[in-house]
Amino acid sequence: MKVEFSAEQNALRKELRAYFEALMTPELKAECDESMGEGGGPLWREALKQMGRDGWIGVGWPKELGGRGMSPIEQFIFVEEVMRAGYPFPFLTTESVGPQLAEHGNEWQKREIVPKILAGECLIAIGYSEPGAGTDLASLKTSAVRDGDGWLINGQKMWTSLAHFCDYVWLACRTDPDAAKPHKGISMFLVPTNDPGWSCSPVVTLGGVRTNATYYDNIRVNDDALVGEENAGWKLITSQLNRERLSLVNFGPTAEMFNNVVRWAQQTDLPEGGKIIDQAWVQINLAKVRAGVEALKLVCYKQAWAMTEGQLDMADASAAKVYGSEFFIEVYRLLGEVIGQASLINRRTPGADPIASRIERLYRTASIITFGGGTNEIQRDIISAAGLWMPRASR
Amino acid sequence: MDFGLSEQQRDVQNLAREILGEQVTAEKLAKYDSYAAERFDRELWQQVAQAGLLGVAIEEQYGGMGFGFFEAALIAEEVGRNIAPLPFISHCISAAMPVQQFGSAEQKQSLLPGVVSGEQLLTAALMEANNEDPTQPRLCSAQAGGEAVLVSGEKLCVPFAEQADYLLLAATDGDGAVVVMLPRKAEGVVLEAMEVTTYEPQYRLTLSNVRVGAENILARGEQAQQLLASVAEHTAAALCAHQLGASDKAMRMTASYTAERQQFGVPIATFQAVGHRAANCFIDVECLRLNCYQAISRLDDGVDASVEVAIAKVWAGDVGHRVSYAAQHLHGGTGIDRDYPLWRYCTWLRHNEMMLGSSARNLAALGSKIAAGEAFCA
Ligand SMILES: Cc1cc2nc3c(=O)[nH]c(=O)nc-3n(C[C@H](O)[C@H](O)[C@H](O)COP(=O)(O)OP(=O)(O)OC[C@H]3O[C@@H](n4cnc5c(N)ncnc54)[C@H](O)[C@@H]3O)c2cc1C
Ligand SMILES: Cc1cc2nc3c(=O)[nH]c(=O)nc-3n(C[C@H](O)[C@H](O)[C@H](O)COP(=O)(O)OP(=O)(O)OC[C@H]3O[C@@H](n4cnc5c(N)ncnc54)[C@H](O)[C@@H]3O)c2cc1C
């Protein structure tokens, strides 16, 4: 065991930090702020392609697939740094759907889609949730019916994030309504958003983040669009979610925010003399965040390491997701307390402090991932069953 | 970043698991409850010595295995998992390791072979009344007496002092500290038994003008400060490992119990409220595990670990407390019944929490490091 980065990994991190410092121009930063941390603008797109051209998106991918052949640990360092730089990285596409397509996709998907993902030229949204299917995802109703040599897709999805600027939806459809168990009748498709039968309408959330309701009206696709085997979609969904969970709780942005708040508190005067950071309660808040970030870092890298060993543990993936998502809420609260009233001032206010206004916004977004990406109740069920061998009630 | 144990580490862990798992039983532990007998299984200690485990971090020339601190901490974890009645941390980590690192050739030759064979028992006196910082002795002072020093003062909560042959101890000497290996039988040493929550043998140590000869002075000045800082960090990290083993065991005991225990016609583990509280323990223990391994990995490598140790201490205190109460609660009345083995774990989880200095103090200490700009995230 060696819980330290190698010299090469430290050098890679340094290189990436410099790279992103140059990449994140003030114009790009402003555009990202405008999109509420979701991306999608023209400069954002161009920067993604740039990362693709520079070989970063697939840094930890095998060379045969167009990557640089480093390990998942280097891949995680890259994602950490890109997110730390404040770039809304489309990790759902690159870190979760991409690897699934590389592993289980058909010839067309491997030839056409995977290289485009690594080039930063293809974006994919996740289409699981429906108005009636949230936590109980297997009850989904959107259907794909055999139609000659292709499929006819009909239904509605809810909360399809990023869909308004994505090229495809990674769509879960019911293909066997009579399956013995609901999750055995589901298949995965890649559905193009430029199909005339596809449409979406915005749903705006508490944090200002936009998501979408998406509609599928007699969309016809051929077999190229089917991912994996017919009726074998559930496994793809669960392993995509396992990978998504790790990206959701990436600790890079939190580490950066902690450092920024410490610097701010070291430099900012108290009216009665001394600095903000001189106060005992401020130091305690910061210490709680620091101790928590360290755990998150280790939990994340243990999983990146487990991926290199090919033994990603289900209970560990769920533990990381629960811990990280609930910790973020605490972080925004604890750091917001340090900042004080300014953590209520949004970034449109002239002269608003960039760190404080970031906390203002993030505090409003923090609940999304306690239920999104597989709700924490289900994650805790998984942990007690898979991690502690406790029997659970049948559902 | 490598979170896997090496073959050597796995061997040490398995050996410790095998011996302790077999030899430490609830029946045997019951003998020591309420100080009915001295909580030191000398037979087991000899067995552990024969297996080579006392010398795991001691160089081969003194009869040790020549491995490092990581392997020693893995044993501390197993001692915690079994709450074994052994002075492993005080002997191997707090006393023998500093002798090996800072002692003279003669000191090492005279002490370490006996440490490894189990013929000599060492301990360390790290606490004073209202002073839990081992690097800053205040209530013990040393006066020069030619080559020797004369030590006077008091130490508290010294584990296994009565049973030990030598006690590592620090005293102020004018502008710094001096660290000695005090022979327990030296004239002027008075030991008074204390009774503590775990029933571990602990003593109040009073010294009046105890003469310690040059041969037993381990370090002075700058070296003494380095030694004490090192003892403090290594001991803390080993206590974290002990806490990890004990928390993990208490949690798994709870998982098994709730899977068996039926109420309302079903195993209570199937109630989501029960499963989720156990899941919280799993997350907690995992966070403790990783922070603890990070701290011991860095100490083992000899790189700066002060922030990592500070963080591991916070986790160890918090997790021990939370797991203890979750385990008790999820067992219902059985958890606190002295005929069921959980309760002893609860006393050790508390012991470690406080021996580590308490989470409130540890957070405050981490906070001052942060304020001083010494704990930014990399
Ligand atoms: C901003 C945002 C972005 C999103 N992005 C996407 C996306 O890109 N793609 C996508 O497919 N979905 C997305 N989602 C949807 C998200 O995955 C769902 O919100 C989530 O699965 C929960 O479903 P629900 O909202 O229907 O809540 P419900 O399932 O109705 O749950 C409500 C509450 O009940 C609890 N609960 C439910 N079942 C149980 C149980 N068995 N045991 C204990 N507690 C239970 C839940 O934990 C939750 O607290 C997004 C949601 C939001 C808000
Ligand atoms: C010191 C002491 C004094 C006592 N004095 C008395 C007394 O004077 N008279 C008397 O009659 N009794 C007494 N009791 C018994 C006490 O009332 C029981 O311990 C208590 O009712 C819990 O029952 P149990 O211990 O069998 O735990 P269990 O019922 O086995 O419960 C174990 C765990 O499962 C949880 N659990 C059980 N069912 C559910 C559920 N449906 N949903 C979620 N969680 C669940 C519990 O909350 C608990 O965490 C005493 C107990 C102790 C320890």
Side-chain angles (χ1 to χ4, degrees):
Chain A
M1 184 165 319
K2 194 170 168 82
V3 190
E4 280 170 68
F5 293 106
S6 67
E8 294 77 24
Q9 287 164 346
N10 283 328
L12 175 71
R13 182 185 300 284
K14 221 170 141 191
E15 182 186 352
L16 281 162
R17 208 161 285 184
Y19 177 82
F20 286 116
E21 205 146 305
L23 190 80
M24 290 299 286
T25 58
E27 295 75 25
L28 173 56
K29 271 191 188 143
E31 186 192 282
C32 292
D33 279 345
E34 206 52 48
S35 69
M36 294 295 174
E38 293 276 274
L43 296 175
W44 178 88
R45 274 184 185 275
E46 187 40 46
L48 189 63
K49 288 180 191 162
Q50 185 67 47
M51 286 178 228
R53 282 195 294 275
D54 295 335
W56 285 121
I57 298 177
V59 63
W61 288 56
K63 289 195 172 134
E64 312 84 85
L65 295 171
R68 271 208 227 170
M70 295 187 186
S71 82
I73 295 188
E74 282 77 14
Q75 184 74 23
F76 198 81
I77 292 175
F78 160 70
V79 179
E80 185 194 324
E81 289 301 323
V82 66
M83 289 172 70
R84 198 168 173 151
Y87 180 89
F89 189 64
F91 58 80
L92 290 175
T93 299
T94 61
E95 309 306 303
S96 73
V97 175
Q100 292 294 98
L101 289 175
E103 199 174 328
H104 306 286
N106 56 36
E107 273 315 303
W108 174 78
Q109 290 154 2
K110 285 184 183 162
R111 196 181 62 237
E112 289 295 318
I113 305 292
V114 172
K116 279 193 182 150
I117 290 176
L118 294 188
E121 288 169 2
C122 177
L123 295 166
I124 303 174
I126 308 277
Y128 296 154
S129 307
E130 297 180 0
T135 302
D136 186 9
L137 183 56
S139 68
L140 62 87
K141 292 202 169 67
T142 296
S143 65
V145 178
R146 258 292 171 206
D147 177 40
D149 58 354
W151 299 85
L152 206 56
I153 295 178
N154 276 290
Q156 186 199 332
K157 292 288 174 181
M158 190 57 195
W159 318 110
T160 323
S161 299
L162 318 179
H164 53 295
F165 60 83
C166 280
D167 306 291
Y168 292 90
V169 179
W170 161 264
L171 192 75
C173 296
R174 181 152 307 285
T175 38
D176 181 1
D178 306 319
K181 293 212 170 126
H183 64 271
K184 298 213 158 128
I186 294 171
S187 307
M188 292 308 304
F189 292 86
L190 270 188
V191 174
T193 55
N194 62 7
D195 190 285
W198 191 88
S199 60
C200 78
S201 60
V203 178
V204 181
T205 60
L206 168 61
V209 177
R210 172 184 169 165
T211 176
N212 304 280
T214 52
Y215 306 91
Y216 306 78
D217 182 14
N218 278 318
I219 295 182
R220 198 173 184 290
V221 293
N222 63 25
D223 269 336
D224 278 348
L226 176 69
V227 186
E229 301 285 311
E230 184 179 340
N231 293 325
W234 191 252
K235 184 82 196 74
L236 294 174
I237 292 176
T238 52
S239 45
Q240 180 278 327
L241 282 170
N242 263 344
R243 288 175 175 274
E244 170 177 341
R245 272 164 212 151
L246 180 56
S247 300
L248 284 178
V249 295
N250 187 296
F251 73 102
T254 310
E256 185 65 19
M257 182 187 289
F258 167 83
N259 287 350
N260 285 333
V261 172
V262 171
R263 283 191 204 99
W264 176 86
Q266 282 173 327
Q267 287 155 11
T268 307
D269 292 322
L270 279 170
E272 64 269 32
K275 303 288 182 192
I276 299 274
I277 207 160
D278 298 339
Q279 302 165 100
W281 69 267
V282 168
Q283 295 184 11
I284 294 286
N285 270 27
L286 293 173
K288 285 182 180 165
V289 174
R290 184 66 185 83
V293 180
E294 197 64 21
L296 187 60
K297 175 188 98 178
L298 295 170
V299 160
C300 289
Y301 277 102
K302 181 181 172 194
Q303 293 198 70
W305 167 82
M307 281 185 190
T308 59
E309 304 287 300
Q311 49 175 22
L312 190 61
D313 181 272
M314 223 177 22
D316 282 352
S318 296
K321 195 269 180 178
V322 172
Y323 173 68
S325 60
E326 294 178 0
F327 172 61
F328 288 151
I329 298 175
E330 286 308 300
V331 170
Y332 305 144
R333 179 160 189 246
L334 291 163
L335 296 183
E337 286 173 343
V338 171
I339 300 268
Q341 212 179 19
S343 66
L344 295 182
I345 301 174
N346 82 26
R347 63 185 189 85
R348 289 176 201 284
T349 306
D353 181 86
I355 305 164
S357 60
R358 197 173 150 72
I359 292 177
E360 188 279 326
R361 182 173 65 80
L362 287 176
Y363 186 82
R364 287 184 284 125
T365 64
S367 71
I368 298 174
I369 62 166
T370 63
F371 57 82
T375 192
N376 286 2
E377 274 78 8
I378 298 300
Q379 304 314 311
R380 285 188 165 91
D381 285 355
I382 293 174
I383 293 168
S384 59
L388 292 169
W389 304 103
M390 291 166 70
R392 64 176 172 197
S394 54
R395 254 197 298 273
Chain B
M1 281 282 170
D2 177 1
F3 290 89
L5 294 180
S6 69
E7 210 175 300
Q8 169 180 309
Q9 290 164 346
R10 206 168 281 291
D11 286 347
V12 168
Q13 188 184 55
N14 285 340
L15 187 57
R17 250 180 215 180
E18 209 172 289
I19 299 176
L20 300 178
E22 209 163 276
Q23 297 300 325
V24 184
T25 60
E27 295 71 47
K28 283 194 194 167
L29 289 178
K31 288 193 309 198
Y32 312 119
D33 291 344
S34 308
Y35 287 99
E38 175 187 272
R39 198 181 190 283
F40 182 7
D41 187 340
R42 289 173 192 268
E43 218 171 291
L44 178 58
W45 189 243
Q46 275 317 311
Q47 209 177 329
V48 169
Q50 268 153 28
L53 294 178
L54 299 183
V56 72
I58 303 294
E59 289 160 23
E60 281 163 302
Q61 56 170 311
Y62 305 112
M65 287 189 183
F67 302 163
F69 177 60
F70 202 102
E71 287 75 11
L74 286 177
I75 300 176
E77 182 185 342
E78 296 313 312
V79 172
R81 190 182 315 283
N82 294 283
I83 49 172
L86 301 176
F88 184 80
I89 294 179
S90 52
H91 175 78
C92 293
I93 312 277
S94 312
M97 286 189 66
V99 167
Q100 170 161 275
Q101 197 186 341
F102 294 89
S104 66
E106 297 76 36
Q107 287 168 334
K108 291 197 261 191
Q109 197 51 59
S110 88
L111 289 171
L112 295 180
V115 159
V116 175
S117 68
E119 281 156 284
Q120 298 231 53
L121 187 70
L122 310 186
T123 187
L126 303 177
M127 297 232 182
E128 297 177 343
N130 300 319
N131 175 21
E132 291 166 15
D133 182 355
T135 67
Q136 302 291 333
R138 295 181 202 285
L139 303 180
C140 253
S141 60
Q143 279 179 324
E147 291 281 277
V149 289
L150 294 173
V151 186
S152 295
E154 197 183 283
K155 298 280 177 186
L156 271 191
C157 300
V158 185
F160 297 92
E162 176 86 48
Q163 294 74 13
D165 300 292
Y166 288 90
L167 298 88
L168 182 147
L169 176 147
T172 57
D173 71 343
D175 40 24
V178 55
V179 182
V180 302
M181 291 306 290
L182 172 76
R184 199 247 310 152
K185 294 198 172 126
E187 204 169 318
V189 175
V190 176
L191 294 176
E192 199 186 328
M194 304 168 65
E195 295 212 349
V196 296
T197 201
T198 51
Y199 307 139
E200 181 179 68
Q202 287 192 7
Y203 299 84
R204 185 196 314 273
L205 173 66
T206 317
L207 307 170
S208 9
N209 279 317
V210 179
R211 189 178 174 286
V212 181
E215 73 283 6
N216 286 324
I217 296 178
L218 207 52
R220 289 175 183 268
E222 183 57 29
Q223 264 231 321
Q225 280 312 324
Q226 276 176 23
L227 184 155
L228 290 172
S230 167
V231 168
E233 283 187 345
H234 285 80
T235 303
L239 280 170
C240 290
H242 190 280
Q243 187 80 326
L244 168 62
S247 311
D248 192 76
K249 180 63 190 265
M251 167 178 81
R252 289 182 192 280
M253 216 186 263
T254 306
S256 314
Y257 179 83
T258 57
E260 295 291 322
R261 167 74 173 168
Q262 301 229 347
Q263 287 288 280
F264 302 97
V266 292
I268 55 175
T270 60
F271 300 122
Q272 219 177 31
V274 170
H276 287 190
R277 190 139 183 213
N280 288 348
C281 293
F282 182 92
I283 296 168
D284 259 348
V285 171
E286 184 64 10
C287 288
L288 170 56
R289 185 187 331 275
L290 296 174
N291 277 293
C292 175
Y293 284 170
Q294 173 174 249
I296 60 184
S297 161
R298 293 184 70 92
L299 287 171
D300 190 38
D301 260 9
V303 297
D304 179 59
S306 54
V307 171
E308 290 77 7
V309 171
I311 291 173
K313 284 159 69 173
V314 172
W315 277 102
D318 289 350
V319 171
H321 166 75
R322 288 195 290 254
V323 168
S324 171
Y325 275 91
Q328 292 176 52
H329 178 76
L330 294 180
H331 276 86
T334 300
I336 58 174
D337 183 342
R338 286 199 170 202
D339 285 336
Y340 181 86
L342 178 72
W343 70 276
R344 287 188 198 90
Y345 281 86
C346 300
T347 68
W348 280 93
L349 294 172
R350 176 66 171 160
H351 170 267
N352 289 337
E353 175 190 356
M354 297 314 291
M355 292 305 273
L356 283 163
S358 90
S359 290
R361 272 177 56 115
N362 290 331
L363 273 176
L366 178 59
S368 17
K369 273 186 194 298
I370 292 168
E374 292 165 4
F376 283 108
C377 293

